[in-house]
Amino acid sequence: MNRMRPSESLNKVFLAHQACLDRFRAGSRKIKAVDGHNLDIATVVLVARYQASVGVSDEAYHAINRSALAFESKLASGEVIYGINTGFGGSADTRTKAVDKLKEDLLSGLQYGIIVDAATTKPDQHQGKEFEGEGFAVPALPLRHVVNTVMPESWVRASLLIRVNSLAHGVSGVTPPTVEALLQILNCNLTPRVPLLGSISASGDLSPLAYIAGVLEGKPSLSVYAGTQRRVERADVALSRHSIKPIVLTAREGLALVNGTSVSAAVAALAMHEALSLAALSQILTAMSVEALRGTDESFDPFLARVRPHWGQAEASRNIFTMLAGSKLVDRGHGSDVSSLRQDRYSIRTAAQWLGPALEDLSLANSQIGVELNSATDNPLIDASDSSPRLLHGGNFQAKTITSAVEKIRQSAQSIGRMLFTQCTELINPATSRGLPPNLVAAEPSESFIFKGTDILIASLLSELGFLSNSVASHVQTAEMGNQGINSLALISARYTLDALDILSQLAAAHIVAICQALDLRALRLRFFASFESAFRTSIKQGIAKHFSSPESLDALLDTCWKAFTARLDATTSIDSAARLPGAIIHLQPLILPSLIPSAEALQALRSCTEDLGKYSLHSFIEMQQLYIREGDATNMLGRASKQMYTYIRKGLGIPFVGPETLETPDFPEHFKTGLTMGALNGRARGAMATGELYTVVAECIKVVERENPSKQTLLAKL
C-alpha cells in the first residue's frame, strides 16, 4: 500500500530545534558558516532571536566571486541584462548605459514604506510655530503602538541571514565585499529599520530588502537599531561607529539585493518554529484534558491508527497514549458504571484524528520552508559552473511556496485552537466536566465564577483565530503596470500567521491554567472520597444494622449507596456545599428504606443516621477542601506528561491552585491576600512560552515518548 510519510516525525523535528537552542543556552557559540545549502530553521531562530553569529564558507566565497566576474563579463560584452541595463518590471522595454544611476533609482524608488515613530512624529521648530495656538501644542495619543509600522528586529535579522545564504549559492553576481557587509551588520547587531507594510512578495520582497540595501550604503535618511539599549541611529552614523565602510554597490548588486523571498522566508521560518512548539504542547494539553475529564486512553490505542494508517494520526496517538501512562485519573472502567458515557466526547476521543492532518500539514510546511531557506531566489541568475556562463531570466522570486506553507501553518493553528477551546469549555461547564464544579471554582458556586472569564477569553481568541485562518492568497491584486499579474502575498500571509500563532499561544496559556485547576479539583474530589468512604460505610452500617432485613446483603447495599452518593455529588456541583453534601446523603434514604424491617423505630434510625452523616460529610469536605487549598498536590495521580507540566506550572511558574482568597484585593495589613488577577496568571504561562522556557518542559515530555517508543518499534516507522 502506498502511504505518504514524512522524512522524519515532527517529534524529532521539534526535539532537534530544542536541542539546538539548548546547546546555545549552555554556552555553545560556534559560528555556523553557511554555504547556500546548509541553513535550517533552528539556526534562523538562533540568529534572529538570540543574536548568534554566522559566517560564510570559503567555498561559497569562491562561487560568489566567480558569479560576480561572470556578470561583469556579460555586461561588458553588451548583453542585455534585465535590471542592469534595462528598466524594471513593466518598464523592462527601456535600455540605458547609465547603469549606476539606474541602480540608485531602483533603490530610491523601492524605499517607499511608512515608518511612524516618536522621531518622525515630533513637530519640528517650524511646525510648532505654524500651528501655535491652534490646538497642536498638546500631542494626541496614538491610536496604535507606533512600532506597529516597523518590522520586529528578529524578522530583519532572519532576513539578513537568509539573504546571505541565498547569495552564497554564487549565482547572483554580487561581490564578496557586499556579502561581508551583510554579515558585519548582522554580527554587530545593527538591525535596519524596515517598514512593516508594503510588500506583495511578487518579485520577492522588494521594498523591505531595499531598506537593508540602503543601510549597507549608509544612507542618512535610513536608520538602524543599535547598542544594548536598542536605540535608533542613522545608518551612516551606526556604520561609522562600528568601523563598517559603506558599500558602493555595483550595477548588478542593487537588483540582486532587493530581488528575492528572504523576508517572507524569514517570517515563515520563525512562524514554523513557533508552530512546532505549539503542536507539541497541544498534545500534552490533550493528555492533561483526558485526565481532567476522567476520559479513557482507549481512544489512543495503537490498533486504531494501525487500521487507519495516516502517519499524523499515528504520531499523535502514540504521543498521547504514552503520556497517559501511569495516570490514576484515566477511566479504564469501559463504561461499566450505569449512566456513564461509554465513550468520551469528540474533543478528546477524536483528538488524534483531528490533530493528525494538522501535523501532516506542518510537516509539509516545514519541508517547503527548509527548501526555500537554501534557495537562490533573485533574477536574473547566472550559471558560472563552467567556462561558458549562462545568464538565465526566470521567476525564482515568486514566493508562492512560502504562501502555501504559512497558510497551512495558520489553518493548522486554527484547527488546534478549536480543539483546545472545546476541551477547555468542557472543563468549565458542569454539564460536560463529569463532576467538576461550575467555572472550576474551589469556593462555593454561588459566590465565585472565576473561570467564567476564561470561557469568554478563549471564545474571543478562537473567533479571531478563525478569521485569521482565511486565505490571504485569494486576495491577489495585479500590480506594477500589469507586469506582476500574479503575486504571492507571502509576507502578508506570514505576518498573519505569526499573529494567529500568538493568539493560539494565548489560548493555550489560558487552557493550561484551567487544566491545572481542574486537575487539582479532581484530586481534591478523589481525596475527599478516599478519606470519607470508610466513615460513610461505618456510619450507615452502625445506624441501620439492627433494622436491616437481610444482614448478608448489607455490604452490597453499602456499595450501591456509595456509588449513588458519589454520582449525586457529581450531578449537583452547582449547589453550594451546605446543601449539596447533606442533600446527597438524604438522597440515599429511598435506596435504604426497602431493605429495612418495617417499623417506626427503623424509620427514625434511618432519619437520624442520614442527618448525622450529612452533617459529618459537610464537615469532612470543608476540612479536606481547606487542607488541599493550603498544601494540595495532584502529582501522584497524574500521568507522565501531566505530572511534568503540572509541576512546572505550580512550582516553576508559581501559578497557584485558585482558591477563595487567591485573587482577592489586599486589605492591608492582611498581606496574605495576593491581589492577583486571572489575566496575570494566564500571562505567566504565556510569558514562559515567549521565552521558550515552557517548551523545554514540552521537550522533556516528548523525549519520554521517544525513549518509550523508539522509532524502529513504532507504527509511525512502519507506515
Side-chain angles (χ1 to χ4, degrees):
M1 182 188 298
N2 257 341
R3 301 184 179 108
M4 292 185 65
R5 63 186 181 205
S7 56
E8 56 184 338
S9 77
L10 279 192
N11 279 1
K12 291 186 176 179
V13 175
F14 168 70
L15 290 177
H17 279 226
Q18 290 302 308
C20 186
L21 291 172
D22 288 344
R23 286 193 298 271
F24 186 82
R25 292 182 184 121
S28 175
R29 296 294 188 269
K30 184 178 180 181
I31 297 176
K32 182 166 187 171
V34 297
D35 60 11
H37 309 281
N38 64 347
L39 183 58
D40 54 54
I41 293 173
T43 301
V44 173
V45 173
L46 281 182
V47 172
R49 300 193 63 193
Y50 298 94
Q51 293 85 54
S53 297
V54 71
V56 171
S57 70
D58 291 340
E59 293 79 5
Y61 271 128
H62 290 316
I64 291 166
N65 190 56
R66 187 166 59 244
S67 75
L69 293 175
F71 257 105
E72 288 299 319
S73 176
K74 291 286 186 181
L75 183 60
S77 69
E79 186 165 337
V80 176
I81 306 174
Y82 169 75
I84 298 180
N85 52 19
T86 76
F88 302 104
S91 301
D93 55 352
T94 64
R95 303 290 185 269
T96 184
K97 293 182 179 180
V99 293
D100 288 323
K101 185 178 186 308
L102 183 68
K103 167 206 62 180
E104 289 302 323
D105 188 72
L106 169 68
L107 294 180
S108 297
L110 291 175
Q111 290 159 356
Y112 55 68
I114 296 172
I115 293 178
V116 179
D117 57 18
T120 58
T121 57
K122 183 178 179 181
D124 60 26
Q125 196 172 24
H126 171 72
Q127 290 173 320
K129 289 180 179 178
E130 182 179 350
F131 294 109
E132 188 174 354
E134 296 183 22
F136 287 85
V138 180
L141 293 175
L143 294 174
R144 296 170 63 89
H145 291 298
V146 291
V147 293
N148 282 345
T149 63
V150 183
M151 281 190 190
E153 287 193 69
S154 59
W155 298 14
V156 180
R157 286 183 58 82
S159 303
L160 285 164
L161 171 62
I162 296 167
R163 197 78 204 121
V164 166
N165 194 55
S166 177
L167 298 175
H169 274 270
V171 295
S172 302
V174 299
T175 61
T178 296
V179 175
E180 186 59 35
L182 285 167
L183 286 174
Q184 283 182 295
I185 65 169
L186 182 59
N187 292 335
C188 289
N189 207 9
L190 300 179
T191 307
R193 300 179 77 234
V194 176
L196 184 66
L197 306 181
S199 176
I200 57 174
S201 307
S203 188
D205 297 302
L206 294 168
S207 180
L209 290 169
Y211 281 80
I212 292 174
V215 167
L216 292 183
E217 292 183 310
K219 195 166 186 175
S221 60
L222 302 183
S223 57
V224 300
Y225 290 112
T228 56
Q229 301 301 314
R230 308 315 292 154
R231 62 184 178 278
V232 176
E233 282 190 1
R234 272 177 27 188
D236 56 333
V237 173
L239 293 182
S240 175
R241 195 166 57 81
H242 286 80
S243 301
I244 300 173
K245 186 177 180 181
I247 290 293
V248 178
L249 300 173
T250 67
R252 163 58 186 155
E253 288 177 319
L255 184 59
L257 287 179
V258 304
N259 195 211
T261 68
S262 302
V263 183
S264 298
V267 182
L270 296 174
M272 188 73 246
H273 175 75
E274 293 301 302
L276 290 171
S277 301
L278 285 164
L281 173 61
S282 73
Q283 294 167 78
I284 295 172
L285 297 182
T286 296
M288 296 175 78
S289 295
V290 171
E291 293 180 86
L293 289 166
R294 292 304 305 274
T296 175
D297 59 359
E298 178 184 349
S299 310
F300 309 100
D301 190 286
F303 170 80
L304 297 173
R306 191 159 66 246
V307 297
R308 191 179 189 240
H310 295 288
W311 74 259
Q313 175 185 334
E315 179 159 306
S317 291
R318 173 176 69 117
N319 289 347
I320 298 168
F321 191 76
T322 306
M323 290 171 183
L324 289 171
S327 173
K328 297 176 183 177
L329 297 180
V330 168
D331 182 6
R332 296 186 173 91
H334 303 297
S336 57
D337 292 339
V338 176
S339 299
S340 68
L341 287 172
R342 175 56 186 90
Q343 53 189 14
D344 297 326
R345 291 183 174 85
Y346 279 24
S347 74
I348 54 177
R349 175 158 51 102
T350 68
Q353 291 83 355
W354 185 265
L355 281 170
L359 299 185
E360 293 177 12
D361 280 350
L362 291 176
S363 177
L364 178 54
N366 184 68
S367 297
Q368 290 176 306
I369 294 168
V371 171
E372 193 73 6
L373 297 184
N374 292 288
S375 299
T377 60
D378 50 299
N379 175 62
L381 298 173
I382 193 162
D383 178 4
S385 58
D386 57 34
S387 58
S388 301
R390 297 186 305 140
L391 190 64
L392 301 169
H393 292 76
N396 278 7
F397 47 68
Q398 183 68 272
K400 183 66 172 177
T401 294
I402 293 297
T403 313
S404 172
V406 294
E407 300 220 336
K408 282 192 282 288
I409 296 172
R410 197 164 66 253
Q411 288 161 11
S412 295
Q414 189 278 333
S415 184
I416 291 170
R418 174 67 220 196
M419 182 190 71
L420 298 183
F421 166 84
T422 307
Q423 292 169 0
C424 194
T425 58
E426 287 178 4
L427 290 170
I428 296 169
N429 184 354
T432 54
S433 67
R434 300 184 72 179
L436 294 173
N439 303 304
L440 298 178
V441 297
E444 299 300 339
S446 69
E447 300 172 357
S448 179
F449 312 92
I450 288 302
F451 280 85
K452 188 178 290 295
T454 295
D455 204 343
I456 297 169
L457 168 66
I458 60 176
S460 170
L461 294 172
L462 185 67
S463 297
E464 194 161 350
L465 194 55
F467 173 78
L468 287 171
S469 70
N470 286 294
S471 173
V472 170
S474 60
H475 295 275
V476 171
Q477 307 295 321
T478 297
E480 200 270 295
M481 298 173 63
N483 177 54
Q484 297 177 1
I486 54 174
N487 42 80
S488 70
L489 304 182
L491 180 54
I492 297 174
S493 192
R495 281 179 22 230
Y496 285 135
T497 300
L498 271 182
D499 288 345
L501 291 169
D502 177 61
I503 290 170
L504 177 59
S505 69
Q506 292 186 50
L507 197 161
H511 187 26
I512 201 169
V513 173
I515 289 178
C516 290
Q517 180 82 0
L519 291 172
D520 274 319
L521 290 168
R522 190 69 73 188
L524 167 60
R525 169 185 178 274
L526 294 178
R527 287 186 182 178
F528 166 67
F529 287 162
S531 68
F532 181 65
E533 183 176 6
S534 176
F536 174 91
R537 291 177 179 272
T538 300
S539 181
I540 294 177
K541 183 181 290 188
Q542 291 177 349
I544 66 170
K546 67 179 182 178
H547 305 287
F548 203 66
S549 59
S550 180
E552 66 275 7
S553 59
L554 180 56
D555 287 340
L557 176 64
L558 291 174
D559 289 342
T560 300
C561 287
W562 178 250
K563 287 184 179 179
F565 171 69
T566 58
R568 182 68 179 175
L569 286 184
D570 286 350
T572 56
T573 56
S574 296
I575 300 174
D576 284 358
S577 303
R580 177 175 167 239
L581 273 298
I585 297 293
I586 298 299
H587 190 73
L588 301 176
Q589 291 178 350
L591 283 176
I592 299 172
L593 188 60
S595 300
L596 301 183
I597 299 170
S599 69
E601 185 182 359
L603 191 60
Q604 181 58 41
L606 176 60
R607 182 181 297 114
S608 297
C609 171
T610 51
E611 286 179 357
D612 290 344
L613 184 57
K615 293 175 184 177
Y616 182 69
S617 70
L618 177 60
H619 170 77
S620 297
F621 177 76
I622 292 174
E623 189 175 65
M624 177 60 70
Q625 183 184 54
Q626 291 173 344
L627 176 64
Y628 196 92
I629 289 172
R630 287 196 308 271
E631 53 192 58
D633 188 337
T635 51
N636 67 340
M637 297 185 181
L638 305 180
R640 290 169 176 166
S642 295
K643 185 178 297 185
Q644 284 184 276
M645 187 57 70
Y646 172 91
T647 300
Y648 172 71
I649 294 297
R650 289 285 181 257
K651 297 181 180 179
L653 293 181
I655 297 175
F657 177 43
V658 181
E661 296 175 342
T662 307
L663 307 179
E664 287 187 5
T665 301
D667 183 15
F668 298 105
E670 295 182 70
H671 296 295
F672 63 88
K673 295 179 181 179
T674 61
L676 289 169
T677 65
M678 285 303 301
L681 299 181
N682 294 335
R684 286 187 196 176
R686 173 64 184 90
M689 294 180 201
T691 63
E693 183 178 280
L694 186 142
Y695 294 128
T696 63
V697 182
V698 174
E700 290 304 313
C701 296
I702 298 296
K703 286 176 185 176
V704 170
V705 174
E706 290 297 316
R707 282 198 299 269
E708 294 292 320
N709 296 280
S711 296
K712 64 181 180 180
Q713 297 177 11
T714 65
L715 170 65
L716 182 66
K718 299 174 184 177
L719 297 183

